[in-house]
mmCIF file of all heavy atoms in Angstrom:
data_model
loop_
_atom_site.group_PDB
_atom_site.id
_atom_site.type_symbol
_atom_site.label_atom_id
_atom_site.label_comp_id
_atom_site.label_asym_id
_atom_site.label_seq_id
_atom_site.Cartn_x
_atom_site.Cartn_y
_atom_site.Cartn_z
ATOM 1 N N THR A 1534 -20.410 -10.672 -56.864
ATOM 2 C CA THR A 1534 -19.008 -10.675 -56.446
ATOM 3 C C THR A 1534 -18.511 -9.256 -56.210
ATOM 4 O O THR A 1534 -17.823 -8.978 -55.219
ATOM 5 C CB THR A 1534 -18.136 -11.372 -57.504
ATOM 6 O OG1 THR A 1534 -18.604 -12.712 -57.702
ATOM 7 C CG2 THR A 1534 -16.680 -11.406 -57.069
ATOM 8 N N LEU A 1535 -18.879 -8.339 -57.105
ATOM 9 C CA LEU A 1535 -18.482 -6.942 -56.937
ATOM 10 C C LEU A 1535 -19.097 -6.344 -55.678
ATOM 11 O O LEU A 1535 -18.441 -5.573 -54.955
ATOM 12 C CB LEU A 1535 -18.898 -6.130 -58.177
ATOM 13 C CG LEU A 1535 -18.161 -6.472 -59.473
ATOM 14 C CD1 LEU A 1535 -18.731 -5.659 -60.636
ATOM 15 C CD2 LEU A 1535 -16.665 -6.198 -59.322
ATOM 16 N N PHE A 1536 -20.348 -6.685 -55.388
ATOM 17 C CA PHE A 1536 -20.987 -6.220 -54.161
ATOM 18 C C PHE A 1536 -20.225 -6.726 -52.935
ATOM 19 O O PHE A 1536 -19.998 -5.982 -51.968
ATOM 20 C CB PHE A 1536 -22.436 -6.704 -54.111
ATOM 21 C CG PHE A 1536 -23.431 -5.664 -54.546
ATOM 22 C CD1 PHE A 1536 -23.808 -5.564 -55.869
ATOM 23 C CD2 PHE A 1536 -23.998 -4.805 -53.630
ATOM 24 C CE1 PHE A 1536 -24.720 -4.612 -56.284
ATOM 25 C CE2 PHE A 1536 -24.913 -3.846 -54.024
ATOM 26 C CZ PHE A 1536 -25.284 -3.750 -55.362
ATOM 27 N N ALA A 1537 -19.844 -8.004 -52.959
ATOM 28 C CA ALA A 1537 -19.132 -8.588 -51.826
ATOM 29 C C ALA A 1537 -17.774 -7.921 -51.623
ATOM 30 O O ALA A 1537 -17.384 -7.603 -50.494
ATOM 31 C CB ALA A 1537 -18.957 -10.091 -52.038
ATOM 32 N N VAL A 1538 -17.045 -7.709 -52.715
ATOM 33 C CA VAL A 1538 -15.735 -7.064 -52.620
ATOM 34 C C VAL A 1538 -15.884 -5.636 -52.088
ATOM 35 O O VAL A 1538 -15.089 -5.172 -51.262
ATOM 36 C CB VAL A 1538 -15.034 -7.079 -53.989
ATOM 37 C CG1 VAL A 1538 -13.765 -6.236 -53.950
ATOM 38 C CG2 VAL A 1538 -14.705 -8.511 -54.403
ATOM 39 N N THR A 1539 -16.920 -4.934 -52.544
ATOM 40 C CA THR A 1539 -17.178 -3.577 -52.051
ATOM 41 C C THR A 1539 -17.435 -3.590 -50.547
ATOM 42 O O THR A 1539 -16.925 -2.735 -49.802
ATOM 43 C CB THR A 1539 -18.383 -2.956 -52.771
ATOM 44 O OG1 THR A 1539 -18.126 -2.925 -54.183
ATOM 45 C CG2 THR A 1539 -18.656 -1.541 -52.274
ATOM 46 N N GLY A 1540 -18.214 -4.559 -50.072
ATOM 47 C CA GLY A 1540 -18.487 -4.666 -48.649
ATOM 48 C C GLY A 1540 -17.228 -4.903 -47.831
ATOM 49 O O GLY A 1540 -17.037 -4.297 -46.767
ATOM 50 N N VAL A 1541 -16.354 -5.776 -48.340
ATOM 51 C CA VAL A 1541 -15.097 -6.056 -47.631
ATOM 52 C C VAL A 1541 -14.215 -4.808 -47.592
ATOM 53 O O VAL A 1541 -13.579 -4.500 -46.567
ATOM 54 C CB VAL A 1541 -14.357 -7.231 -48.301
ATOM 55 C CG1 VAL A 1541 -12.966 -7.405 -47.691
ATOM 56 C CG2 VAL A 1541 -15.155 -8.514 -48.157
ATOM 57 N N ILE A 1542 -14.173 -4.048 -48.674
ATOM 58 C CA ILE A 1542 -13.370 -2.819 -48.703
ATOM 59 C C ILE A 1542 -13.894 -1.799 -47.690
ATOM 60 O O ILE A 1542 -13.118 -1.136 -46.989
ATOM 61 C CB ILE A 1542 -13.362 -2.223 -50.127
ATOM 62 C CG1 ILE A 1542 -12.572 -3.132 -51.073
ATOM 63 C CG2 ILE A 1542 -12.766 -0.818 -50.123
ATOM 64 C CD1 ILE A 1542 -12.610 -2.696 -52.522
ATOM 65 N N LEU A 1543 -15.220 -1.687 -47.584
ATOM 66 C CA LEU A 1543 -15.794 -0.754 -46.611
ATOM 67 C C LEU A 1543 -15.470 -1.157 -45.182
ATOM 68 O O LEU A 1543 -15.339 -0.298 -44.297
ATOM 69 C CB LEU A 1543 -17.312 -0.672 -46.800
ATOM 70 C CG LEU A 1543 -17.813 -0.024 -48.098
ATOM 71 C CD1 LEU A 1543 -19.331 -0.091 -48.170
ATOM 72 C CD2 LEU A 1543 -17.339 1.419 -48.182
ATOM 73 N N ILE A 1544 -15.357 -2.458 -44.937
ATOM 74 C CA ILE A 1544 -15.011 -2.920 -43.591
ATOM 75 C C ILE A 1544 -13.515 -2.771 -43.321
ATOM 76 O O ILE A 1544 -13.107 -2.307 -42.243
ATOM 77 C CB ILE A 1544 -15.438 -4.387 -43.416
ATOM 78 C CG1 ILE A 1544 -16.975 -4.488 -43.423
ATOM 79 C CG2 ILE A 1544 -14.883 -4.975 -42.123
ATOM 80 C CD1 ILE A 1544 -17.492 -5.898 -43.439
ATOM 81 N N GLY A 1687 -22.577 -0.146 -43.838
ATOM 82 C CA GLY A 1687 -22.670 -0.166 -45.306
ATOM 83 C C GLY A 1687 -22.043 -1.416 -45.896
ATOM 84 O O GLY A 1687 -22.595 -2.030 -46.824
ATOM 85 N N GLY A 1688 -20.875 -1.806 -45.367
ATOM 86 C CA GLY A 1688 -20.242 -3.034 -45.844
ATOM 87 C C GLY A 1688 -21.091 -4.255 -45.567
ATOM 88 O O GLY A 1688 -21.189 -5.169 -46.400
ATOM 89 N N CYS A 1691 -23.898 -4.484 -48.102
ATOM 90 C CA CYS A 1691 -23.406 -4.956 -49.405
ATOM 91 C C CYS A 1691 -23.185 -6.476 -49.390
ATOM 92 O O CYS A 1691 -23.592 -7.186 -50.322
ATOM 93 C CB CYS A 1691 -22.104 -4.244 -49.763
ATOM 94 S SG CYS A 1691 -22.282 -2.516 -50.233
ATOM 95 N N VAL A 1692 -22.543 -6.968 -48.329
ATOM 96 C CA VAL A 1692 -22.236 -8.399 -48.258
ATOM 97 C C VAL A 1692 -23.508 -9.226 -48.104
ATOM 98 O O VAL A 1692 -23.678 -10.264 -48.763
ATOM 99 C CB VAL A 1692 -21.262 -8.674 -47.095
ATOM 100 C CG1 VAL A 1692 -21.118 -10.172 -46.875
ATOM 101 C CG2 VAL A 1692 -19.904 -8.061 -47.382
#
Side-chain angles (χ1 to χ4, degrees):
T1534 302
L1535 293 176
F1536 261 90
V1538 172
T1539 301
V1541 172
I1542 291 175
L1543 292 177
I1544 292 172
C1691 288
V1692 171

